[in-house]
Structure formats: structure tokens, C-alpha cells
Amino acid sequence: MSPLARTLAHPAALRIARTALGLVLLVAALGKIGDPAAFAGQVENYRLAPLWSVNLIAMSLPWIELLAGLALVLGVRPRAGAVVALLCMAVFTVAVGSAWARGLDFECGCFGKASAATVGARKFTENVGLTLLAAIAALRARGGAAS
Amino acid sequence: MSPSPESRSETGADLVRGVALILAAGLALGFAYNALQRGAGSTQALAWVREEVRLASLEGPAAAPDSTAAETGDPAAASAGDGAQARVEAVPAHPGPPARSPDDAPPAQERAPHGTAPAPAAASAAPPVPPAPATAPAPDALPDVPESNEPREVSYALAKRFHDAGAALFVDARTRGEFAEGHIPGARSLPFDDVFERPELARQLEAGARPIIAYCGSADCNLSRDLAFALVEGGHRRVLVFRGGIAEWRAGGAALDEGGPAEHSP
């Protein structure tokens, strides 16, 4: 394990990272589950997925996020939860980055309709940060102590 | 100390299984939840296959709700009489008291012969080829805007004519900052974000007898449509959407005003 990973993989650091990530995911997921139509509208706005699939994505992605968040917060299969979070974050980061590059200006859809943050540098940076957090949370704990 | 599952060599396969489990369970829960919502008739339920929401065009089936069809807006606005017939047939008529027309011609209150038709979203079929204009357009007659419980689209050409005649209230759905950078002259700033937080703003907007034309940045931006639906929900019955927005206004060479929002809706 590289020295950096070893530092980050300290059980206490991991627990913090996982709990923090899990909470972010839970809040994000609940916001989207609360208003599926709004989230579907935002997925459509990104114009990345084919239109017919937008609703399927909008109805399942929040629940995937929710389960990943629960896994992280509750500590049940947290690494799997973190990897799922990592996949989600990677996809979101690409989506936000792509929209930003195309100059699309609409609600971000990151937290459901609760935050009407337009796509841009700030949102992109936030996503990159969360992706990194997810990568950390996915690390295997340093041996010898329960996480 | 007892080894945690992680200090044992957790196989990659375990991890993959865990990921697959979360993904599969998430999908299943998501679909199940939606099925439940649909079964309960909830407004939150989504259709399984998403189709494009097409707002009917004010100008009737002759004009595609597309910026390139701007020219066909004029012939469809020939005379209030003939034009109204074609237009009303294109959209479900709202069974309500006749609206006072903003222009001089008395409104031709022809209600469409069919009953309440399914939502104009059903007009997601490809728009028909616009027919060749038969009559010379009467340049001064603006089309009647019948009441409806759904917003409709207007082309740039028609929006411009409404604007030049002062016959419509333009509302800008973008943020106040964007409004200040450049807005359609005479438009009012009504950011959709504000209306979303405080729906009473939509209800309180005073348009008088004029129809409302909502716009935002461009056809890519859905704020205008969202604002239009919010206005209809707030009780306004003659709401139009100028999808082309600032981008098309600029491209058409028309002037923009700058400066802070005149007045927020009362």
C-alpha cells in the first residue's frame, strides 16, 4: 500500500470519510426520491442519456444512492457502498463537466430540486471532491483494527 | 483482537458481489417504488418510457414549435376568424368563460368540436409539414390567445409582433443577474427559482388582459417552460412560451435592454 493510501486508510479516517460520504448520499438520494419528476426533468436536461431511458434512470439512481449511503453510514458492506458511490460520483462528475463544457445552464439536479444550483465550475469542483472522498472511502482499511 | 472482515483478505469477488447487490437492489427498489406510485395514482409516478413533452404551438399545427418555422407564424395569423378555428382545433379548449381579446377584433369563440383531448404531449408525433400560406397575412391582426390550462409555444416572429404591439407581458424566467445583463425590453423579471420557492409569486403576477409570454436563455433552457407551467398553476390561463429566448431574440437582431429588474411581481 502506498504511503498516502496507508495514511488515508487509517480506520478512524476511513470511518469519518465513509460516514461523511454516506450522509451526503442519503441527503441527495432522499431529495431525488421526494420529487422524481423534477429529477427526471434534470436528467433530461443533461441530454446525455437517450430520452426513453431518462425515467428509468431517474427512478432507480436515487435508490442506488440511498442503499450506498446506508451501507456507508451503517457500516454494512461499506466498501461496496463506497465503490457504488465512486461509480455514481464519477458519472455525475462527467455529466456536470460535460454540461459545463457545453454551456448548458439549468438546475443541477444534484440534490433534487432543493438546490437550484446551475452547472458550472463550482458544481464541477464539488463533484470532483466527492469523487475523491468516495475513492478514499473505498480503500481497504489498514490491517489489524476493526473499522 | 478479532480480525474485521476487512483485515482478512477480502476478495475482489466479495467487493464485486457487494456492488452488484447494491446496484440490483437499488434498481429493484426504484422500479417497485415507481410501480407503487403508479398503482396509487400518485402524481409523483413516472412513466416507464419517457416521451418528449411538446407544448402545442399557439399558431396551430401549421407552425412547428421550432425557431426555423418562424415564417409560418404569420400566415396562420391571417384573420381572427379563420385563424382562431385552426388554432383552437390544435389544442384542447379550456371549458371556461371566454377571454377578452387583447386586440381590436372581437374574439371568435369557436370551441373545438372534440371534448377535452388528451394533453398536448400527445402531439409528440412529428409535427406535420406546414401548408403553403394561402391568404395574405393581415400584418396588424395578432392572433387571439384562447384560454387554456396548458402553456403554448410561440415562435420568435409572433413573439416579436406581440412585443412590438405591446400586446403581451413578457416575463424573464432567469436569475436577476442574468436579467440585468440583457433582457427583452419591457420584460419583467420573475426568476423561476423564486417562483419555485414561493408559488404565490406566480399567482400575484398582474398581467391585466394581456397574455403572458415567458422566456429564458435559449431553447436549451427549460426555465421558461417551468415558469409557464407555474403561472398556469397560479391561475393564469393565457400563458405562452417563447422557447428561443434571449438567444433567438439576439439572433433576430432585436434590441435588448440592460439594467436591474424593473419591478418584481407584486
Side-chain angles (χ1 to χ4, degrees), chain A residues 18 34 36 40 44-45 47 51-52 54-55 59-60 63 67 77 79-80 83 104-105 113 116 140-141 144 147, chain B residues 1 4 6-7 10 14-15 18-19 22 25-27 30-31 33-34 44 47-48 50 52 178 193 196 220 222:
Chain A
R18 287 173 178 175
E44 182 184 350
N45 282 340
R47 295 165 205 263
L51 185 65
W52 61 264
V54 165
N55 280 2
M59 68 179 75
S60 54
W63 287 89
L67 291 181
R77 310 295 289 271
R79 281 194 74 207
V83 169
L104 298 183
D105 176 16
K113 218 159 194 178
R140 185 177 302 172
S147 71
Chain B
M1 67 196 94
S4 74
E6 282 187 285
S7 60
E10 185 186 270
D14 281 342
L15 192 57
V19 168
I22 291 178
L27 276 169
F31 294 160
Y33 181 71
N34 194 58
Q44 290 202 339
W48 298 107
R50 190 176 185 86
E52 188 167 2
E178 290 167 314
D193 288 349
F196 179 70
D220 270 348
N222 274 337

